[in-house]
Amino acid sequence: MPLLDHLWIIPSLPLLGAALNGLFGARWPKRWVDVVGVGTTGLAFAATLELIREFAHLRADQVPWSKSYLTWIGAGNFRAGFDLQVDQLTIVMLLVVTGVGWLIHIYSTGYMAHEGGYYRFFAEMNLFTFFMLTLVMAANFVLLFVGWEGVGLCSYLLIGFFFLRKSAADAGKKAFIVTRIGDFGFTLGILLIFWVFGSVDYATVFNRAAGMPVENAGQPGVLTSISLLLLAGAIGKSAQLPLYVWLPDAMEGPTPVSALIHAATMVTAGVYMVARAHILYSHAPIAMTTVAVIGGLTALYAATIGLVQTDIKRVLAYSTVSQIGYMFLACGVGAFSAGIFHLMTHAFFKALLFLAAGSVIHAMGGEQDMRRMGGLRKQIPWTYWTMLLATLSISGAPLFAGFFSKDKILFETAVSLYGGRVLWAIALVAALLTAFYMFRLIFLTFHGAPRYDAHATHVHESPKNMLAPLVVLAVLSVVGGWVAAPALSGGADYFEIYLAPVFAKSSALLATAGGETESRTLELQLMGVAVGLATLGFLVAWWFYIRRPQTPEWLAETFHAPYKLLLNKYYVDELYNLAIIRPIGWISTRLLWQVVDEGAIDGSVNGVAHTARRLGSRLRVLASGNTRSYAAWVLVGAVLLLGLLLWPLLGMVR
Amino acid sequence: MFAPIEDLYRLAPELVLCTFGILVMLAEPFVPRKRSGLVAFLALLGAGAALAATRLSWAHPGTAFYGLVRVDDFSIFLHFVVGAVAVLVILGSRDYLEREGLHRGEFYALVLFATAGMGVMVSAQELVTAFIGLEISSISSYILASFRRNVPKSNESAMKYFLLGSFATSFFLYGVALVYGATGTTLLSRMDSASGNPTLLRLGLGMIFIGLAFKVASAPFQLWTPDVYEGAPTPVTALLSSGPKAAAFALLLRIFDTVFAASQLWVWAIWVSAALTMFAGNLAALVQSNVKRMLAYSSIAHAGYILVAFAARNEIGTAAVLFYLVAYALMKLGAFTMVTHLGGEGERRLEINDYAGLGSQQPAAAAFLTLYLFSLLGLPVTAGFLGKFYIFNAALKSHLVWLAVLLAINTVISAYYYLRVIVVMYMREPQKEWAATPIPRAVGLVLVLTAAGTLYLGLFPNYLMEFATQSAVLPR
C-alpha cells in the first residue's frame, strides 16, 4: 500500500507548486503558472482518492493510521515530529480541501486572469493548501499548530493581495491580529496539554483523556481548562462571537480567496479542531455548553446583520459566520458528525455562492453593491441558476444538501442532553433569517429591473473555466447530502456511520450520560417546522423585494433605530475601537512615545544636533546631558534591586 | 616557573586570538593600501584558528592556572559561539569598512581582542579573572563603537557606552570585593563551602548582578542600548548585540549556578527584571522608525526572554539559555548585516520607511531580512521559534507560569513591529529612489550562513540542543 506509507506526498504536492510558482513564476508565461498551480492541487485530489481506496482496506484496529517521518523537536521527554495520520475524519477533510480547493484553483485561472501578480496569487494559494493539508493530517498538536499558523499567514497575505488598496492591507492586518488573540489561548491550551499528559501526540493525549473522569459542572478541572483554551483559538480562526470581526473585512481579498479560505476550508478549521479533540470536550460539559451557546448565538447574531448588508460578498461573509455557528452548535451538543457533515455541505454551497458572486462581480465589471444590480438573470443564466441551487441548499429546501445537514443539527440540538429548547429555537430563527437574506440577495441581484447604467456596464457571462467549477459545485450542493437521505425513510445515515468509529468513545460517553432518545416521528415533526420557517423566509423576501419593493424602505424608516443598529453591525467595531484600540494607542503614543521617547530619548537626539554644531564642547554636552540621567537610572535600579535583596535581612535586624 | 603545557591547551583559543590580534596590528603597516584585504583575511584566519583551538582545548577538560579558568562543555559551547560570532562579524565588516573609508587593521585586531576577552569571561572560575575578561572585551568594544570617527553620533555612542559601562563595571568590581569580604575567596569553587556573612554576600552578588545586567541590557539597566547601538558602526552593533551578551550571560550562569542555591528572593529579583526587560524592549520598539533603534530595543526584549529561562534556574533552563544564545546570535547578526548592506554609503538608509518597495526591487535582500524578522518574532520553522519554545518549556517546568504568560504576551506585542517592516518592504511603493547595490560576496556568505543556520535550527534543533543540554551541567 504505497500511499499509506507515504502520506507526506499529499501535502508536498501543493508545496511543490508553491515553490515552483514562487521561485520561477515571475518569469514564466501565464500558462505554465496555471499548469503548476492547478496541476499540483489536482494531483493532491487524485492522491486523496487513491488514499481513500487504500484506506478502505485497513482493518478497524489499524485506524487511525499514523506515520511519523521526522523528529522535529525533542527536549527531554517531549517529542514532536512531522507525524501525519489518517482516519475517517481526515478523509472527509481531505476531500473538501483538495476537491473544493482544486475547483477554486480552476476558477481562479479565469477570475484572476487580468490581475497583476498572477504567479504570486497561485503560489500563495498553493502554500495555503499545503498548510491546510498539514493542519488536517497532523497527528499531534504541535504540527496542527504549525498548519494553523501557516493558514493564518497565507490568509493574511491573500486578504492583502491587492495591497495597494489601503483597506485591503488593513483588513489583512486586522485578520492577523484578531486571530492572534484567539491563538494566544490556543498556545496556552497546547502547553497545558503537554503539562498534563506529558505528550502532544493525539493518540497518547486522547487515550489518557478517555480514561479520566468526566468533569461535571460542579467541579471543572484540567480538561475543562484545556478545552476552553483550545476553543479560544477556534473562535478566532472560525470567526465566532466575539472574535468574528475580521471575517467580513477579509472580503477585501480576491473572491476565490474568500471562497477557499473564508468559506470552505480555513474558517472551518476551528470546527475540525473541536471535532478532532472531541474526547476532551465530551469530558468537559462546561466546555460543551460553551461551544453550543457560542455557536447558537453566533448563528443568530450574524444572520441578523446579514439581513441589511448591501455588499454581495459581505452578506455571504456574515452568512458564513452564521453557518459556522451551526457547526459549533452541533459539536457543542455532542453531534460531532453532524457538525462535520454541515462543514462538508457548507463547503459545497458556500464555495459555490462565493464563486457565483465572483462571477456576478466579474460580469458587472467590479461592482459589489447589490443596490446597483438587478435583473441579471437573463444576461448571466449559468451564474443565476447555479447560485439559485446553492441558495436553495443553504436555505434548507427539502432534498438539497444543506437540508440534510441543517436538519440533522436542528434535530440533535432539540434532543441532546446539552442542547434543549432554547438553543433549538435560536437555531430555527437563524434558519428563517438565512432563507430571507439569501433570497433577498438573489432577488436584488438577479430579479427586478436593472439599477445600473446599462450603457456603462457591459454585462457578460463568465468564461468556461469559471463556469465549469460552478456547475460541479451546483451538482454537489444538490446531491452532496444524499448519503444521509435513507435516514428519512427509516434507513441509515451513511455519513454518520462512516464517521462513527472516530467519535465512538464520545458517543458512548454521551449515551451513558443519559443521552438522546432517537424518535423518528419527532424528527419528522421538527423537520416540518424547519422547512415551514424556511419557506416563510423565502416568502417574506419575495414579498419585500418582488411583490412590494417599497416595503424594505418603509420598514427601515419606521424602525429606524434597530435598522441603524443592524446596518452598523451592532457597532461592535466601534466598541472594540473604543475599548481596546484607543487605550493601546494612547499608551504607545502618550506614554511611550511622548514621555519615554521624546522625553528621555529625543533629548539625546537634540544632544546630537548640538554636538554637530559644537564639536569642541562635545564632552561637556554629553556629560551634562542624558548620560547623567541614564546613570541615575542605573543607580535607581541598583538601589531597588539591592533593597529587594536585603529586605528580609533588614527585617531580621529590626 | 612556566605553566604546564596542559594549562596552555586550556587557554588555547585566547592565546590564538591575542596572537593573531597582535599579528594583524603588526602586519598593517606592511600591507599596501590596495591589498588591504590581506589584513582582513589574516583576522579571519585568526578567528577561524580560534575555533580550531577551541576544538583542541575541548580534548583537555579541567582547570588551568591554579583554578582560575576551567575548560568544560559549558565553556567550550560558548567559545564556539563567540568564535563563530567573530568569524561572521569579520566577514561582514570588510565591505562596510571599505565603503565608509574606515579600513584599518585595528578594527580587526580589536574584534579579536574583544573575542579573547569574552573567551576569558566564559571560562573564568575566579571573579577577578572574570573581571579582567570583562574589561578586555568592554574596552575593545568602546573603541569599536567610536570607529566612525568623523560621525558625531558614533562618538557620542562610544562616549556614553564608555561612561555608563565604566559605571556598571565599578558595580561589578565592588561586588567582587564584597563577595571576597564575605567569603574570604574569589574562587567560585571554594565559595560553595564558605560560610560568610550572608548580608555582605548577598549585597556583593547583587552588585555583580547589576554589573552584568548592564552588559546584557536588561531593565532597568538597559537605557544605554538604543543610543549605543544606533550610533555605533552597524557591524559593531552586530557584534555588541551578540558576542558580549552571550559572554555576560555565561558569566551570570556560571556565578549564580555555582555559588548559591536558589533562594526564593533571587528568583523574584530575576523574575521582575525579566518581566520589566521584555516590556521595556517591546513597548519601546513599537514606536521606533529607525531600523537600528528598533533592533536595539528588540535585543533588549530578547535579553528579557533569555532572563526568563535564567529565572527557571534548572538545567533545562540553562540549556534553553545556551540554545537561545546561538539562535539569537544567528538572527541578530543576519539582521544587522542586512541592515549594514542596505544602509548604503554613510548609513543613510536606516528608516523603516526607506525599505518601502524592497520586496520588488531587491527581492533577495528582502527575503533574507524577512526570514530574520520571522525568527526574531518566533514563527515556526525558524531558530527563534524553538528557542522560545525551550524557554517556555523551562519556565513551565519551574512553575513560572505567569512569567511564561508574560513571555507569550510580549511575543504578541513584538509581532507588530517585526511584521511592520515586512509589510513596508512588500506592500508599499518606494518613496525615494535607492540605488540597488549588489550584495558583496563576503556579505552574501554571512547572510547565507546565518539564514541557513536559522532554518537548520528551526528544522533540526536536536543536535545543538543535545550539546546544550550536555553543556548545561555545571559543576557545583
Side-chain angles (χ1 to χ4, degrees):
Chain A
M1 293 194 172
L3 204 53
L4 276 177
D5 289 331
H6 298 281
L7 295 175
W8 56 271
I9 289 177
I10 295 179
S12 301
L13 285 165
L15 180 65
L16 179 72
L20 289 176
N21 270 339
L23 290 174
F24 311 112
R27 265 157 275 161
W28 279 352
K30 185 170 164 299
R31 182 111 206 105
W32 294 16
V33 175
D34 284 351
V35 169
V36 170
V38 176
T40 49
T41 326
L43 281 175
F45 180 54
T48 303
L49 294 179
E50 164 64 15
L51 183 73
I52 293 172
R53 198 187 63 76
E54 291 175 17
F55 181 78
H57 297 295
L58 287 179
R59 290 193 316 274
D61 61 335
Q62 288 175 311
V63 177
W65 175 267
S66 69
K67 282 268 155 199
S68 66
Y69 294 103
L70 195 65
T71 296
W72 181 35
I73 313 172
N77 54 353
F78 175 79
R79 190 194 155 277
F82 291 100
D83 309 336
L84 303 180
Q85 75 161 27
V86 181
D87 63 1
Q88 289 84 352
L89 177 58
T90 313
I91 295 273
V92 173
M93 294 303 291
L94 280 178
L95 275 177
V96 170
V97 174
T98 57
V100 177
W102 185 44
L103 291 172
I104 295 172
H105 273 76
I106 295 174
Y107 176 92
S108 307
T109 59
Y111 189 83
M112 298 300 288
H114 309 296
E115 302 290 348
Y118 189 75
Y119 76 95
R120 185 162 60 90
F121 179 81
F122 275 94
E124 287 169 3
M125 288 284 271
N126 277 1
L127 189 66
F128 169 81
T129 312
F130 160 71
F131 278 122
M132 193 66 208
L133 290 171
T134 310
L135 195 161
V136 298
M137 295 182 79
N140 63 53
F141 279 99
V142 171
L143 194 58
L144 171 82
F145 185 66
V146 170
W148 187 273
E149 288 299 303
V151 289
L153 178 71
C154 293
S155 158
Y156 163 73
L157 291 172
L158 284 164
I159 293 170
F161 186 77
F162 299 121
F163 54 78
L164 294 180
R165 215 160 59 199
K166 186 175 180 304
S167 55
D170 285 349
K173 255 186 281 180
K174 185 170 176 182
F176 197 80
I177 293 167
V178 172
T179 46
R180 202 99 294 82
I181 298 171
D183 288 355
F184 177 58
F186 195 66
T187 321
L188 290 182
I190 294 177
L191 284 172
L192 194 55
I193 286 176
F194 176 59
W195 207 4
V196 172
F197 298 101
S199 168
V200 289
D201 286 332
Y202 289 163
T204 321
V205 173
F206 296 150
N207 276 335
R208 291 208 190 140
M212 290 165 81
V214 175
E215 295 171 352
N216 285 319
Q219 63 275 127
V222 70
L223 291 179
T224 309
S225 316
I226 291 175
S227 307
L228 289 175
L229 285 169
L230 293 180
L231 179 63
I235 286 172
K237 197 80 107 216
S238 295
Q240 297 293 290
L241 278 172
L243 296 180
Y244 68 94
V245 287
W246 64 271
L247 187 61
D249 286 13
M251 296 300 122
E252 289 288 346
T255 306
V257 172
S258 311
L260 178 63
I261 301 184
H262 306 121
T265 56
M266 184 189 83
V267 288
T268 56
V271 181
Y272 165 76
M273 193 276 296
V274 172
R276 173 58 75 203
H278 63 92
I279 202 77
L280 302 178
Y281 284 88
S282 56
H283 279 73
I286 297 179
M288 289 290 271
T289 310
T290 315
V291 174
V293 169
I294 286 180
L297 287 181
T298 310
L300 179 64
Y301 174 87
T304 56
I305 300 179
L307 296 178
V308 298
Q309 296 302 309
T310 52
D311 181 311
I312 188 168
K313 281 181 75 182
R314 276 181 178 259
V315 175
L316 295 177
Y318 282 107
S319 159
T320 304
V321 175
S322 168
Q323 295 298 314
I324 298 171
Y326 274 112
M327 301 173 207
F328 270 88
L329 177 62
C331 292
V333 300
F336 297 104
S337 69
I340 296 298
F341 190 27
H342 197 58
L343 186 158
M344 183 181 82
T345 57
H346 176 257
F348 299 150
F349 59 69
K350 189 50 71 62
L352 172 53
L353 284 170
F354 268 114
L355 295 185
S359 177
V360 170
I361 296 166
H362 190 80
M364 295 291 296
E367 181 60 69
Q368 299 195 9
D369 193 335
M370 295 188 299
R371 286 171 301 189
R372 287 195 282 277
M373 295 179 182
L376 293 174
R377 181 175 34 154
K378 291 277 157 52
Q379 279 114 317
I380 44 175
W382 285 94
T383 308
Y384 170 67
W385 283 106
T386 49
M387 199 165 189
L388 185 63
L389 290 177
T391 302
L392 287 167
S393 190
I394 191 178
S395 308
L399 302 182
F400 281 78
F403 164 76
F404 290 104
S405 57
K406 194 182 281 185
D407 170 66
K408 183 86 184 153
I409 294 177
L410 288 171
F411 172 67
E412 298 278 0
T413 307
V415 301
S416 160
L417 182 64
Y418 295 114
R421 290 283 148 85
V422 180
L423 282 174
W424 178 71
I426 287 176
L428 263 188
V429 175
L432 165 74
L433 298 179
T434 306
F436 172 79
Y437 68 66
M438 283 314 303
F439 278 101
R440 169 176 176 265
L441 185 151
I442 290 286
F443 292 148
L444 279 177
T445 311
F446 294 103
H447 292 256
R451 292 181 297 277
Y452 53 90
D453 183 356
H455 298 289
T457 319
H458 169 64
V459 179
H460 53 286
E461 183 62 287
S462 301
K464 285 210 185 62
N465 51 359
M466 284 168 69
L467 292 180
L470 293 188
V471 173
V472 177
L473 284 169
V475 172
L476 287 171
S477 299
V478 178
V479 307
W482 289 0
V483 282
L488 277 185
S489 54
D493 176 346
Y494 289 110
F495 192 84
E496 193 172 9
I497 290 173
Y498 188 66
L499 282 183
V502 180
F503 301 120
K505 280 179 185 160
S506 286
S507 314
L509 197 70
L510 294 171
T512 54
E516 54 214 66
T517 44
E518 296 273 349
S519 152
R520 233 168 51 73
T521 340
L522 181 64
E523 185 169 7
L524 288 176
Q525 283 165 353
L526 294 179
M527 197 181 285
V529 177
V531 172
L533 279 177
T535 317
L536 179 64
F538 161 74
L539 286 175
V540 175
W542 175 78
W543 181 268
F544 275 23
Y545 295 98
I546 303 287
R547 190 67 208 275
R548 292 260 184 280
Q550 62 274 34
T551 327
E553 215 165 301
W554 173 80
L555 269 178
E557 270 165 30
T558 319
F559 300 98
H560 188 67
Y563 174 73
K564 272 293 235 207
L565 190 67
L566 289 182
L567 195 63
N568 288 299
K569 302 158 273 180
Y570 295 98
Y571 295 99
V572 167
D573 274 319
E574 286 76 6
L575 183 73
Y576 284 178
N577 188 24
L578 202 67
I580 299 166
I581 298 167
R582 287 269 190 84
I584 291 180
W586 186 85
I587 291 176
S588 63
T589 43
R590 265 311 139 73
L591 191 67
L592 292 170
W593 191 1
Q594 293 180 351
V595 178
V596 178
D597 207 51
E598 289 189 353
I601 298 164
D602 272 15
S604 69
V605 176
N606 298 337
V608 174
H610 203 62
T611 322
R613 260 181 273 121
R614 299 180 57 187
L615 283 172
S617 56
R618 185 188 306 147
L619 295 183
R620 200 183 55 76
V621 173
L622 284 172
S624 64
N626 259 271
T627 315
R628 218 155 58 177
S629 79
Y630 290 179
W633 272 106
V634 172
L635 201 61
V636 169
V639 168
L640 286 179
L641 185 86
L642 296 175
L644 179 66
L645 285 174
L646 296 180
W647 188 252
L649 297 174
L650 293 177
M652 266 190 284
V653 173
R654 206 167 37 189
Chain B
M1 145 121 201
F2 210 72
I5 187 79
E6 284 284 301
D7 283 12
L8 295 180
Y9 279 134
R10 286 171 193 149
L11 214 58
E14 286 74 34
L15 294 174
V16 168
L17 283 166
C18 289
T19 312
F20 271 89
I22 294 167
L23 278 179
V24 166
M25 299 264 262
L26 288 177
E28 226 250 328
F30 302 103
V31 175
R33 204 114 200 93
K34 274 183 288 183
R35 320 272 313 262
S36 63
L38 277 179
V39 183
F41 183 71
L42 190 62
L44 190 61
L45 207 63
L51 284 176
T54 306
R55 184 73 193 77
L56 180 70
S57 68
W58 200 359
H60 301 271
T63 57
F65 293 100
Y66 315 101
L68 298 188
V69 293
R70 176 185 184 96
V71 171
D72 49 21
D73 285 340
F74 180 80
S75 80
I76 293 296
F77 187 99
L78 284 147
H79 265 104
F80 277 127
V81 176
V82 295
V85 166
V87 168
L88 291 172
V89 167
I90 291 171
L91 262 180
S93 340
R94 160 98 211 283
D95 294 283
Y96 170 85
L97 295 171
E98 290 285 348
R99 190 181 77 197
E100 305 289 325
L102 296 171
H103 203 274
R104 309 244 188 330
E106 303 93 278
F107 184 91
Y108 301 114
L110 286 167
V111 171
L112 293 177
F113 291 143
T115 310
M118 296 171 218
V120 173
M121 280 166 82
V122 301
S123 49
Q125 270 294 299
E126 194 263 350
L127 291 175
V128 178
T129 312
F131 175 73
I132 291 173
L134 183 64
E135 280 296 81
I136 297 175
S137 88
S138 299
I139 293 173
S140 311
S141 35
Y142 300 150
I143 307 174
L144 284 171
S146 73
F147 219 75
R148 286 199 292 166
R149 274 180 303 196
N150 301 326
V151 181
K153 237 182 187 174
S154 178
N155 288 310
E156 185 200 335
S157 148
M159 187 49 84
K160 274 186 186 163
Y161 192 26
F162 171 63
L163 289 176
L164 292 166
S166 312
F167 189 43
T169 316
S170 64
F171 270 98
F172 184 87
L173 194 56
Y174 197 52
V176 172
L178 287 177
V179 169
Y180 180 71
T183 61
T185 179
T186 52
L187 278 171
L188 294 177
S189 51
R190 299 245 183 93
M191 244 169 251
D192 237 359
S193 45
S195 53
N197 179 338
T199 317
L200 220 51
L201 181 62
R202 198 172 265 187
L203 201 60
L205 286 171
M207 290 201 158
I208 289 177
F209 180 79
I210 292 166
L212 292 174
F214 176 88
K215 289 286 162 198
V216 302
S218 72
F221 314 109
Q222 88 295 4
L223 284 165
W224 58 279
T225 323
D227 287 4
V228 173
Y229 281 20
E230 189 189 356
T234 316
V236 175
T237 312
L239 175 71
L240 290 182
S241 70
S242 48
K245 201 172 252 191
F249 264 115
L251 199 51
L252 267 180
L253 284 170
R254 183 79 89 171
I255 294 175
F256 284 75
D257 262 21
T258 321
V259 173
F260 68 110
S263 97
Q264 199 50 38
L265 205 62
W266 266 105
V267 174
W268 272 104
I270 297 167
W271 199 108
V272 171
S273 182
L276 276 179
T277 310
M278 289 190 288
F279 278 108
N282 281 321
L283 290 178
L286 288 179
V287 292
Q288 300 307 318
S289 62
N290 179 300
V291 182
K292 260 169 109 175
R293 244 185 132 73
M294 187 272 277
L295 287 175
Y297 280 112
S298 122
S299 81
I300 295 175
H302 283 270
Y305 303 154
I306 299 175
L307 277 177
V308 172
F310 187 61
R313 318 255 326 110
N314 52 25
E315 269 161 20
I316 304 177
T318 308
V321 172
L322 293 177
F323 184 92
Y324 206 87
L325 285 172
V326 176
Y328 169 78
L330 282 172
M331 57 210 188
K332 260 285 144 69
L333 276 175
F336 274 122
T337 307
M338 201 65 247
V339 171
T340 310
H341 173 68
L342 291 174
E345 204 182 327
E347 299 203 13
R348 278 170 312 186
R349 188 186 189 181
L350 289 178
E351 293 296 308
I352 292 174
N353 286 335
D354 294 343
Y355 288 180
L358 201 66
S360 54
Q361 287 169 344
Q362 285 162 271
F368 274 119
L369 194 52
T370 304
L371 174 68
Y372 303 133
L373 292 172
F374 274 168
S375 183
L376 286 166
L377 168 55
L379 288 188
V381 204
T382 61
F385 169 74
L386 283 157
K388 275 214 185 103
F389 167 80
Y390 291 128
I391 291 179
F392 258 115
N393 195 18
L396 290 181
K397 273 272 151 53
S398 298
H399 304 281
L400 298 171
V401 178
W402 283 108
L403 203 52
V405 170
L406 290 181
L407 173 56
I409 292 175
N410 269 284
T411 304
V412 174
I413 297 176
S414 73
Y416 178 79
Y417 60 84
Y418 292 128
L419 292 178
R420 190 175 52 163
V421 178
I422 295 170
V423 168
V424 167
M425 286 197 298
Y426 285 96
M427 305 199 168
R428 294 267 164 78
E429 287 301 307
Q431 291 154 337
K432 268 188 266 182
E433 277 304 310
W434 296 96
T437 43
I439 298 179
R441 235 180 302 163
V443 173
L445 187 59
V446 175
L447 294 175
V448 169
L449 286 174
T450 48
T454 306
L455 283 175
Y456 175 78
L457 291 184
L459 287 167
F460 311 100
N462 279 341
Y463 301 100
L464 184 72
M465 196 56 200
E466 270 163 31
F467 188 17
T469 313
Q470 180 190 334
S471 308
V473 187
L474 286 169
R476 269 170 214 277

